[in-house]
Amino acid sequence: MDQISVALIHKALDGLSMRAVATAENVANVGTEGYRPWIVSFETALKSAAQGTLADIGNVRPGMARAPAAAFGEQLRVDMELATASETALRYSALLDVLGRQMQISRASVMGGQ
């Protein structure tokens, strides 16, 4: 696996980890009056950086910000937050699986296929 791919996976894992924390906080505050949920963004910046250099990827930082104030009567939906948590965990797991498989390939080539 080349350095660019490893850097992209590393940054994606950072962003997904931050999203998992933000989602957990959002779920914990579902019933809190006036709570503004956290949102995490990194995919667009990472996609753009992927077309550049390793340094461009290294400069990508996941962003965590409060969502805009909800309209009157609009509340945070726990079902949507749980869906986000599930999607985030699935994506994180898939990236770890890719890294694990790459490690197996590297180990096999170093050990001569043993």
Side-chain angles (χ1 to χ4, degrees):
M1 185 177 292
D2 64 355
Q3 287 183 333
I4 297 254
S5 297
V6 171
L8 286 169
I9 291 172
H10 179 257
K11 287 296 179 172
L13 289 171
D14 284 349
L16 291 168
S17 179
M18 184 180 284
R19 182 168 289 143
V21 169
T23 303
E25 187 168 330
N26 291 345
V27 169
N29 285 286
V30 162
T32 304
E33 186 69 31
Y35 177 76
R36 289 177 43 208
W38 288 105
I39 54 173
V40 174
S41 60
F42 66 93
E43 289 93 347
T44 302
L46 193 56
K47 184 177 180 180
S48 178
Q51 305 305 316
T53 65
L54 197 55
D56 294 331
I57 295 167
N59 290 330
V60 172
R61 301 282 181 262
M64 190 162 138
R66 293 285 185 181
F72 180 73
E74 191 176 308
Q75 292 201 347
L76 183 63
R77 291 183 48 188
V78 70
D79 61 332
M80 295 303 289
E81 290 300 320
L82 292 176
T84 297
S86 180
E87 177 187 4
T88 300
L90 182 64
R91 291 171 65 193
Y92 196 94
S93 178
L95 289 173
L96 288 180
D97 188 50
V98 168
L99 288 177
R101 290 173 191 262
Q102 184 59 40
M103 291 297 294
Q104 288 175 341
I105 291 168
S106 296
R107 189 176 314 123
S109 67
V110 168
M111 301 295 286
Q114 299 177 355

